[in-house]
Amino acid sequence: MEKGYLDYQSGMPVDPRVVEAMTPYMMEHFGNPAVLHSVGDSAREALEAARAHVAGYVGADPAEIVFTSGATEANNMALKGAAMKLAKKGKHVVSTVVEHRSVITPLKFLEREGFEVTYVPVDRDAFVDPKAVEGAIRDDTILVSVMMANGEVGTIEPAAQIGGIAKAKGVLFHTDAVAAQPSVPIDVSTLPFDLVTLSSNDIYGPKGVGALYIRKGVRVEALVHGGGQERGLRSGTENIPGIVGFGKAAELMKAELESDVARMKPLRDRLMDGILEGIADTTLNGPRDRRLPHNANIRIAYIEGESLLLALDMEGVKVSSGSACSAKTLEPSYVQLAMGIKHEEAHGSLQFTFGRWSTDDDVDLVLAVLPGIVERLRKMSALRPGMEYDKESFGHGHDH
Ligand code: PMP
């Protein structure tokens, strides 16, 4: 891994052991698991072995795992699939303002289709208050969806508590676990989760593969119809190499999560404290405790984040300014705005995310180059302490 890559939340390399496991399934074992002759056998066996590994990784039964093209599809299947199935019972869904776009956008679609969605707000640290979720549940509520953790600002949400509240009220509970996957254990045998979105690439597997955990007895409508694969829930010839890779990545994650965290957390802490103590007017976004151990998100006052990212890139440091989705635009992060962070402050936030190959060298590099860059950019910045913020200086001038 190239020194200075601290953007694992946006993209992770595939673990070499995963690549090795996948390779035979491209040319050697190329069969279609649906055929009856022996060439299909090895593909079918590999598919079911991978399902067992993914199930084992989250404490599920293999029959509760449906493979998808990724977390986006799994979120769509959970939200739209459950809503369609339960529309006769009610048309109200409860979620939050800090969900990933792949949750928010399907919910917006459901609103256009006649469902009502309550988006529960968050506090200054992006925490969702379980009491607020409880208060939002009505007689016609059919589904609650709250993420396990927010990958951008690092907040680990009280998803277990909220799932328990939903369960007590007889309402389905979905959680997008993707951001939690690299550093938080997930065990559906003890957690009150009905539907869980999982991603391969967030545990060093290939991109374009994911899964939805569907608790036994819970029913969702299929969104992709065709040949009836995945018990009719997700038709289409299975992506065998990708699924094999996901299975291997899940097996490794289960075995290595603890040692991964033991390695990443001290690095993250050294970086976080080094910046907060070494550079004036810097603030941690999100909580210090109940925080993803591989995430640091720090606000650097009086600087436009985009120039900061470019200057850091020139020194070999690759980080993000917000969620990967909004990072390409000049829009500040909607997550940070929802936390009550001001438009201009959110612009100067840096998101550092660590992974399996992060080292002290990465931290040393950031701590060596960041203070100088901040000093230089602050000298040129239009933003000064006490100055009124001018929206136009941020290019877009959108109102939020
Ligand atoms: N949920 C969360 C929390 C994510 O961070 C992401 C992106 N990694 C997704 C869903 C969507 O994942 P994908 O783009 O792989 O479908």
Side-chain angles (χ1 to χ4, degrees):
M1 174 55 73
E2 207 180 313
K3 188 165 89 169
Y5 186 81
L6 286 171
D7 198 14
Y8 277 78
Q9 155 80 19
S10 303
M12 290 185 183
V14 178
D15 191 299
R17 294 167 292 180
V18 170
V19 176
E20 198 187 334
M22 290 170 69
T23 307
Y25 291 90
M26 302 210 209
M27 290 176 70
E28 217 175 304
H29 307 299
F30 57 84
N32 184 332
V35 300
L36 293 177
H37 57 68
S38 57
V39 176
D41 288 348
S42 57
R44 195 160 46 243
E45 282 158 20
L47 173 63
E48 294 316 319
R51 198 185 309 282
H53 282 310
V54 172
Y57 154 61
V58 295
D61 189 275
E64 296 173 313
I65 299 294
V66 173
F67 288 114
T68 66
S69 66
T72 297
E73 189 189 330
N75 278 337
N76 273 266
M77 185 190 273
L79 301 166
K80 297 195 289 201
M84 273 195 262
K85 198 62 147 184
L86 297 170
K88 282 202 189 77
K89 206 175 147 204
K91 290 196 138 191
H92 180 240
V93 179
V94 178
S95 190
T96 83
V97 291
V98 292
E99 298 301 312
H100 189 260
R101 294 263 190 220
S102 58
V103 166
I104 303 257
T105 316
L107 290 177
K108 295 284 171 202
F109 169 83
L110 286 174
E111 286 184 83
R112 291 197 297 278
E113 295 295 309
F115 287 82
E116 216 183 311
V117 181
T118 302
Y119 299 92
V120 173
V122 293
D123 71 8
R124 186 81 188 173
D125 281 335
F127 279 116
V128 178
D129 179 359
K131 285 220 159 49
V133 174
E134 187 166 24
I137 296 176
R138 320 188 303 212
D139 288 345
D140 61 341
T141 305
I142 48 170
L143 178 68
V144 173
S145 178
V146 178
M147 62 191 354
M148 255 187 101
N150 188 290
E152 180 187 334
V153 294
T155 312
I156 298 177
E157 299 293 354
Q161 205 183 334
I162 295 169
I165 289 168
K167 192 186 169 92
K169 290 190 177 265
V171 177
L172 276 191
F173 182 70
H174 165 250
T175 191
D176 176 347
V178 171
Q181 282 184 257
S183 60
V184 180
I186 303 162
D187 183 1
V188 296
S189 72
T190 58
L191 291 164
F193 298 164
D194 297 307
L195 299 159
V196 181
T197 292
L198 299 168
S199 157
S200 154
N201 186 233
D202 288 70
I203 52 169
Y204 318 101
K207 293 179 180 62
V209 195
L212 183 64
Y213 159 79
I214 307 177
R215 185 177 290 282
K216 222 167 264 172
V218 171
R219 296 184 62 212
V220 301
E221 202 64 64
L223 304 184
V224 180
H225 301 101
Q229 288 89 345
E230 296 296 290
R231 289 183 291 123
L233 283 168
R234 205 284 182 176
S235 287
T237 303
E238 298 87 345
N239 169 10
I240 298 295
I243 290 170
V244 166
F246 185 12
K248 186 67 189 178
E251 185 190 359
L252 293 172
M253 198 69 228
K254 190 176 165 69
E256 296 178 12
L257 186 125
E258 222 172 289
S259 54
D260 276 4
V261 171
R263 193 175 41 249
M264 294 188 295
K265 190 170 179 297
L267 294 174
R268 190 281 308 269
D269 287 345
R270 190 161 75 83
L271 179 88
M272 190 164 76
D273 294 337
I275 296 174
L276 293 172
E277 285 160 19
I279 304 177
D281 297 312
T282 53
T283 319
L284 183 67
N285 283 327
R288 205 164 242 286
D289 303 322
R290 287 164 63 200
R291 178 181 196 91
L292 290 173
H294 70 285
N295 170 298
N297 189 316
I298 294 170
R299 217 151 71 232
I300 302 183
Y302 319 124
I303 290 191
E304 295 89 349
E306 288 70 29
S307 40
L308 200 49
L309 290 189
L310 295 177
L312 281 168
D313 194 14
M314 282 167 66
E315 301 288 345
V317 177
K318 281 94 178 161
V319 292
S320 278
S321 61
S323 68
C325 320
S326 52
K328 277 196 216 72
T329 72
L330 290 175
E331 298 292 308
S333 141
Y334 65 92
V335 172
Q336 292 181 46
L337 294 179
M339 294 160 75
I341 293 169
K342 284 192 285 192
H343 193 286
E344 70 273 27
E345 290 176 333
H347 260 287
S349 291
L350 289 180
Q351 178 194 342
F352 301 91
T353 43
F354 293 77
R356 196 168 275 166
W357 295 279
S358 299
T359 66
D360 272 311
D361 288 348
D362 301 316
V363 177
D364 290 341
L365 180 62
V366 176
L367 294 179
V369 301
L370 188 60
I373 291 172
V374 168
E375 193 186 339
R376 181 159 53 83
L377 291 177
R378 276 184 176 160
K379 279 202 191 113
M380 305 188 305
S381 173
L383 302 163
R384 295 283 153 69
M387 264 182 78
E388 267 306 298
Y389 160 61
D390 170 15
K391 265 192 197 138
E392 294 309 318
S393 65
F394 288 94
H396 280 204
H398 280 289
D399 231 313
H400 287 270

